[in-house]
Amino acid sequence: MNKMIEISNLSKSFPSPDGEEMVHVFSGVDLVVEEGSSVAIVGPSGSGKSTLLNIVGLLDKPTDGKLIVAHKNLNKLKETEVSEYRNQTVGFVFQAHHLLPSCTVLENVMLPGLAGFGEKVTEELKERANQILEEVGLGHRTSHLPGQISGGERQRVAVARSLINQPSVLLADEPTGALDSKNSEHLVNLLKELNEEKSLTLVMVTHSAESANQMKQAYHLDEGSLRQER
Ligand SMILES: Nc1ncnc2c1ncn2[C@@H]1O[C@H](COP(=O)(O)OP(=O)(O)O)[C@@H](O)[C@H]1O
Ligand SMILES: [Mg+2]
């Protein structure tokens, strides 16, 4: 099996607000995720789950440690490679959908296909966006604005948007945190389907034991260390 994510001895500290000392979030974190696997990361609030995911997505930098994702050594990427990595290699889904309110569902999904690469709206991009929306069960909502669909649907649009550039890894940070139990179940089932059918490697932070149980592996982050639960 191919390793999709390989993290060794990762640590992260932030300077305290007065800058006097360092706040240590975690250290000695090792994590290997095989291509096509799905991993849940659980742990109390403030334990560093978002920080860990942000580091894997290169939205933040580690204090120390080695990261290899999709055969790229993240410690050694150049500036242009960093933006390409964020845009193409990983997809992100957050607790809040972050959709643009004045763009249609279809436009929101197409957007990362345009970002920063001087690309135009092509028929191919439009077709891909329509197809992904079909796959997440929203083929009938493409012309709606985010305000005209339900919370569960908005979060499925956010998933569709994260997939437009066909990432190798999907990073989901409490993606069901703002949903009721029925919509949460629907969303986790969708993520599971994408993981199984597209062989998309999935890392999901969640507070829900039920959602975590749907993933092939589970890790617990607490008191500065990550340990595997199953
Ligand atoms: N930009 C930042 N500057 C300083 N401290 C931060 C920053 N981001 C996160 N932290 C701290 O790191 C710790 C972990 O935060 P976070 O990763 O958001 O936890 P979780 O997602 O598990 O709730 C918290 O103590 C938080 O205050
Ligand atoms: Mg968090």
Side-chain angles (χ1 to χ4, degrees), residues 82-225:
V82 169
S83 30
E84 193 179 325
Y85 172 87
R86 288 193 197 117
N87 191 247
Q88 315 271 319
T89 308
V90 290
F92 244 109
V93 179
F94 301 94
Q95 180 170 346
H97 54 79
H98 300 295
L99 298 176
L100 297 183
S102 57
C103 290
T104 65
V105 161
L106 184 70
E107 287 164 350
N108 268 287
V109 173
M110 287 194 299
L111 218 58
L114 303 167
F117 291 87
E119 289 175 38
K120 295 196 178 71
V121 178
T122 58
E123 278 310 308
E124 192 256 323
L125 177 63
K126 214 176 206 172
E127 204 171 297
R128 194 146 36 97
N130 270 310
Q131 196 197 325
I132 296 169
L133 280 164
E134 200 69 55
E135 284 168 14
V136 304
L138 291 171
H140 59 311
R141 291 283 186 267
T142 57
S143 308
H144 284 59
L145 295 174
Q148 297 170 328
I149 57 176
S150 74
E153 289 173 330
R154 280 194 284 270
Q155 200 59 333
R156 280 188 279 143
V157 177
V159 171
R161 179 187 53 188
S162 77
L163 300 177
I164 190 69
N165 290 328
Q166 297 154 308
S168 309
V169 179
L170 184 62
L171 303 169
D173 192 356
E174 300 195 41
T176 64
L179 302 179
D180 61 31
S181 59
K182 192 163 154 272
N183 278 303
S184 295
E185 198 184 321
H186 192 160
L187 194 87
V188 172
N189 284 339
L190 169 66
L191 294 176
K192 215 173 131 179
E193 255 173 56
L194 293 165
N195 164 252
E196 283 164 5
E197 286 166 19
K198 291 185 185 285
S199 193
L200 178 71
T201 307
L202 174 63
V203 182
M204 179 174 72
V205 166
T206 179
H207 267 124
S208 148
E210 214 173 309
S211 302
N213 280 337
Q214 302 293 314
M215 302 294 109
K216 291 169 188 152
Q217 294 173 291
Y219 285 80
H220 197 259
L221 183 60
D222 196 10
E223 295 184 350
S225 32

Side-chain angles (χ1 to χ4, degrees), residues 14-15 23 25 43-52 60 173-174 205 221:
F14 289 107
V23 178
V25 183
S45 190
S47 58
K49 305 180 299 297
S50 296
T51 303
L52 178 60
D60 202 348
D173 192 356
E174 300 195 41
V205 166
L221 183 60

